């Protein structure tokens, strides 16, 4: 990618779609990313920008001035422009908006009025709507006056004189019905309008459940504001699913895989610091039993096993519960059943593996007391772990703390403390 | 849900959509699930079945006889029927197929010919195709002869006399173009046909990248076999994203949140057993240093901190790399950059937190030697952890082992062994 080959790369980039260029940028380290960006054709820059994840996009926006931004955003949809503007400082946003045409500005502003994680922030205002009293023939003639329909249009919206949403008119219906029929007779009311302030994750659940492709967004008076299409929803689903995975390791789902070293270090430092605190707590528990450890050194050898098995058993329960919550399956009514199922499964596995471990310990240290102690400690810790894994996410959610983020730290703290406490506590009681 | 209220529940179920009933079944414990299933209206059973996850569905299929199955599958799409049949034993499949009408059977068989995780297994054979030499007017009249178009039809397929795929004719194009124009003049060739044997995850990446709603599926001779629609892709994306999350805890992404206690226990037992083996390995490492532990009991108190911090640092790297792989961002060309970034970030955080921990240890045990040892051991373990977190998934993938499944166990083994070895090893060298 040195200066000499710039022309070749530029030619190569010309053959790629905006989506492929965006993927290439996301898969490149920061320095190369900037070089590539400078080689992209001006007229695809906007589309490429729109395909990027928030974090990579904001890196690139940082290098642009207002004039370049206005130029780049020409030709993008209102929702995509709003998406980009939401990442810019207040001052830049008003500059960009004032440089836009009147209609474009109003459109973008109507999307910007909503939080980016709501239906209003996701919607596109570019809709085609018709009145119920028209005949399909009139609708067909009206459509034919358009150069083209907005992207992914598969339905028209039927609204009344006050602009209130009545129903959908799918294009396929329009094409298979006798043109003399009126819109009112064929309007489909299957798809319920989405309130503009509904959370994007809830909207995604509706789309997934009902296999929608387009859905109308309305204000509190049922007036049609815009539409949400499935391609925006796919991003929400992807991010939501990534959220659980990344949060459980203390990471952000928008995290750039190729973030520079300092930013990466800074972001992860906090999580490691929190973990150090919980590890110190576990160490303090161990230190309470120093006298016993001094007498029976075998305890120091075996104690990590009790803590580790509790951690693994608990994290299995935790993962199932967090996933079930993300899918909207877990509520008050079935929590008790789930908890007893988890306790039952944990009890069976605790019995199996603690007995195996007891046998190993008896043979290894030739000491039946230590074997009995580790069996008892594992039984206690695995059952507590299952309880904690099932209850912690529910409690955290009730406290409005993200269970995917805080769950695993909280769980490890419990399983370490209980693991060391039960094993060394029982040993102290036996050996002193 | 006792016998008396059966009628009320049945009435309540009548008011729900098949999707809501499916969600209700998935959120119910096994016994209640069976009771609910028996209360569902016969004519929505098929649709409900099709909405269920594989595991819950197979539980219900186990309770049905062939005749009931044939009845239930009437009116479902070929791809949905194939989906269900793939879960049944050979004998039942042929019985069900022979009870179907000729056209339906051929359709279902053409989908069944492909693996369920390929484009062919996902596709629907219910397409509308037109020839390029027709005028749009003829196409419009042809469509009007249909009662309705197949679900989520947003485009027609343009094929030649040999049935080979040429391009798409979006309904929106059909509605905005002069009817005297021929199909050839407006056909869109943006969407490339998908080979029937392409993996479903690859298909999903294409849909996500290009915001497709429908795409054609072709055989090796470019003959049109069927179409894939975005609603099937949403399921693939959801499952793929869930896969990383669930695998990292040794769970299956299809796992039923409400599986009965014995099945849950059995499934998790293996994972706990594997973990017990790695924990025993770590214990064996500790046992090599029993003499030192006997002399300096403070080491037993502090050693879990070294292992735990390594585990957390490593799992952050591991999660980022596994997610990057799932998104198709990581390849040979950028792996070296990623590794050096991870090492750099790990070094910075290792320096920060090992010094903090060194300070705490010096104050706590009033012993500067122990403080120096823990600083050195944490530096070693955190850097090894980052290396292992970045390299392990790549090595595992090359060995065709799922990195999401095996990565976390392998990593914990490394960080435990290296953590205990470096800390106790350095201590033995100092104190003897």
């Amino acid at each position: 990618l040195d200066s000499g080959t710039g022309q070749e790369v530029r030619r190569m980039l010309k053959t790629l779609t905006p989506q492929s260029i965006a993927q290439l940028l996301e898969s490149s380290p920061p320095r190369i990313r900037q070089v590539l960006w400078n080689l992209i054709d001006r007229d695809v820059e906007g589309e490429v920008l729109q395909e990027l994840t928030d974090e990579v996009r904001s890196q690139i926006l940082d290098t642009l001035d207002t004039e370049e931004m206005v130029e780049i955003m020409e030709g993008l949809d209102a929702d995509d422009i709003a998406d980009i503007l939401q990442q810019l400082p207040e001052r830049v946003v008003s500059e960009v908006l004032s440089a836009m045409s009147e209609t474009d500005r109003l459109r973008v502003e109507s999307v910007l009025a909503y939080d980016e994680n709501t239906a209003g922030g996701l919607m596109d205002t570019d809709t085609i709507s018709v009145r119920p009293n028209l005949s399909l023939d009139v609708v067909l003639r009206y459509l034919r006056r358009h150069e083209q329909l907005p992207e992914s249009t598969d339905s028209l919206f039927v609204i009344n004189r006050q602009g209130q949403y009545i129903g959908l008119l799918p294009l396929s219906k329009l094409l298979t019905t006798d043109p003399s029929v009126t819109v009112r007779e064929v309007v489909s009311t299957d798809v319920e309008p989405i309130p503009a302030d509904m959370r994007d994750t809830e909207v995604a659940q509706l789309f997934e459940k009902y296999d929608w492709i387009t859905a109308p967004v309305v204000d509190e008076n049922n007036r049609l504001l815009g539409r949400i299409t499935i391609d925006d929803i796919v991003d929400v689903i992807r991010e939501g699913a990534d959220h659980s995975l990344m949060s459980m390791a203390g990471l952000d789902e928008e995290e750039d895989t190729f973030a520079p070293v300092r930013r990466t270090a800074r972001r992860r430092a906090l999580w490691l610091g929190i973990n150090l605190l919980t590890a110190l707590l576990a160490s303090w528990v161990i230190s309470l039993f120093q006298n016993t450890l001094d007498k029976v050194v075998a305890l120091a050898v075996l104690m990590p096993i009790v803590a580790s098995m509790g951690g693994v058993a608990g994290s299995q329960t935790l993962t199932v519960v967090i996933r079930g919550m993300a899918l909207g399956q877990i509520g008050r009514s079935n929590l008790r059943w789930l908890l007893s199922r988890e306790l039952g499964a944990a009890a069976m596995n605790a019995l199996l593996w603690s007995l195996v471990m007891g046998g190993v310990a008896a043979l290894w240290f030739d000491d039946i007391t230590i074997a009995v102690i580790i069996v008892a400690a594992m039984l206690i810790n695995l059952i507590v772990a299952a309880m904690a894994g099932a209850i912690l996410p529910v409690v955290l959610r009730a406290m409005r703390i993200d269970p995917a983020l805080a769950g695993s730290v909280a769980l490890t703290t419990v399983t370490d403390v209980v693991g060391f406490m039960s094993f060394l506590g029982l040993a102290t009681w036996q050996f002193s």
Side-chain angles (χ1 to χ4, degrees), chain A:
Chain A
L1 269 170
D2 290 330
S3 54
T5 59
Q7 281 308 316
E8 283 169 49
V9 175
R10 199 189 293 269
R11 261 197 300 277
M12 186 271 284
L13 287 172
K14 264 194 212 299
T15 67
L16 296 177
T17 59
Q19 293 89 348
S20 300
I21 298 177
Q23 199 178 16
L24 187 65
L25 288 175
E26 279 172 10
S27 308
S28 301
R31 207 178 54 88
I32 296 182
R33 195 176 276 166
Q34 199 53 52
V35 175
L36 284 174
W37 173 257
N38 292 330
L39 292 172
I40 297 173
D41 257 9
R42 260 293 142 92
D43 46 328
V44 298
E45 280 180 348
E47 277 175 89
V48 171
L49 211 54
Q50 158 202 348
E51 296 289 338
L52 292 172
T53 58
D54 285 0
E55 198 179 310
V56 178
R57 192 197 287 153
S58 84
Q59 273 171 38
I60 288 175
L61 288 175
D62 285 348
T63 68
L64 302 177
D65 61 31
T66 314
E67 211 174 306
E68 287 173 306
M69 283 186 204
V70 175
E71 207 175 309
I72 284 174
M73 286 182 212
E74 268 169 30
L76 291 186
D77 289 346
D79 60 334
D80 295 322
I81 296 180
D83 237 30
I84 296 176
L85 290 182
Q86 256 141 357
Q87 290 188 279
L88 296 173
E90 198 76 37
R91 194 186 47 76
V92 184
V93 172
S94 52
E95 273 183 58
V96 173
L97 281 176
S98 64
M100 290 169 77
S101 76
E102 176 79 11
T103 24
D104 283 357
R105 200 183 65 232
L106 287 176
R107 271 206 182 138
V108 172
E109 280 175 344
S110 77
V111 179
L112 275 179
Y114 295 96
D115 183 281
E116 71 173 314
N117 298 320
T118 61
L122 269 183
M123 75 183 173
D124 194 338
T125 51
D126 205 7
T127 58
I128 297 195
S129 46
V130 295
R131 292 284 171 74
N133 55 328
L134 299 177
S135 72
L136 297 190
D137 197 39
V138 175
V139 173
L140 286 167
R141 271 185 281 132
Y142 168 67
L143 289 181
R144 220 168 281 292
R145 286 212 302 273
H146 288 73
E147 186 69 17
Q148 58 179 27
L149 302 187
E151 226 178 314
S152 346
T153 294
D154 71 326
S155 300
L156 310 180
F157 296 97
V158 184
I159 56 173
N160 67 14
R161 204 176 289 271
Q162 284 78 45
Q164 288 170 317
Y165 173 79
I166 298 173
L168 287 180
L169 174 57
L171 296 188
S172 59
K173 194 92 190 173
L174 187 59
L175 286 163
T176 53
T177 314
D178 175 6
S180 66
V181 162
T182 63
V183 170
R184 181 175 290 115
E185 292 169 77
V186 291
V187 61
S188 144
T189 51
D190 288 355
V191 175
E192 283 199 39
I194 296 172
D197 56 2
M198 186 185 266
R199 303 277 312 162
D200 56 359
T201 46
E202 269 179 83
V203 178
Q205 281 178 4
L206 289 175
F207 267 80
E208 256 190 277
K209 195 162 152 186
Y210 296 113
D211 296 341
W212 290 341
I213 288 175
T214 314
V217 178
V218 296
D219 68 10
E220 61 275 25
N221 298 316
N222 199 33
R223 263 195 300 264
L224 183 68
L225 296 173
R227 63 182 179 127
I228 293 179
T229 46
I230 181 88
D231 50 310
D232 297 314
I233 292 301
V234 166
D235 297 340
V236 174
I237 292 173
R238 158 75 68 197
E239 275 172 32
D242 271 5
H243 174 77
S244 305
L245 173 69
M246 297 293 271
S247 295
M248 283 182 88
L251 302 165
D252 191 306
E253 70 269 20
E254 279 282 348
E255 172 131 346
D256 171 10
T257 309
F258 295 91
V261 57
R262 270 196 228 169
R263 187 169 333 140
T264 307
R266 209 176 323 122
R267 289 222 178 134
R268 299 195 191 161
L270 178 66
W271 191 249
L272 286 163
I274 293 170
N275 186 67
L276 184 58
L277 279 180
T278 74
L280 277 169
L281 181 65
S283 287
W284 173 76
V285 171
I286 298 173
S287 75
L288 300 177
F289 304 100
Q290 284 192 61
N291 289 334
T292 316
L293 280 169
D294 218 4
K295 269 187 278 184
V296 192
V297 75
L299 297 175
V301 173
L302 293 175
M303 68 184 186
I305 292 180
V306 181
S308 150
M309 289 297 279
V312 170
S315 81
Q316 290 194 317
T317 303
L318 184 75
T319 306
V320 168
V321 173
I322 285 178
R323 212 255 320 222
M325 281 180 160
L327 296 179
Q329 290 176 342
I330 296 178
R332 235 163 223 281
S333 63
N334 48 26
L335 189 65
R336 177 181 286 212
W337 186 90
L338 197 69
L339 182 62
S340 67
R341 197 273 315 267
E342 286 299 326
L343 286 179
M348 288 185 200
N349 276 318
L351 207 60
L352 170 65
W353 293 116
S354 66
L355 287 176
V356 169
M357 187 56 223
V360 172
L363 291 174
W364 189 356
F365 295 97
D366 198 14
D367 183 335
I368 207 73
T369 319
I370 284 188
V372 172
I373 290 171
I374 202 165
V375 170
M378 276 178 70
L379 281 173
I380 294 171
N381 203 28
L382 265 74
I383 288 170
V384 170
M387 245 184 329
I391 293 174
L392 275 175
V394 180
V395 171
L396 287 170
R397 185 169 62 169
M399 292 165 67
R400 300 181 167 276
I401 299 172
D402 179 6
L405 184 64
S408 56
V409 185
L411 178 75
T412 315
T413 310
V414 171
T415 54
D416 278 2
V417 167
V418 173
F420 293 133
M421 188 89 84
S422 59
F423 183 60
L424 297 177
L426 287 170
T428 303
W429 173 63
Q430 269 302 314
F431 289 111
S432 60

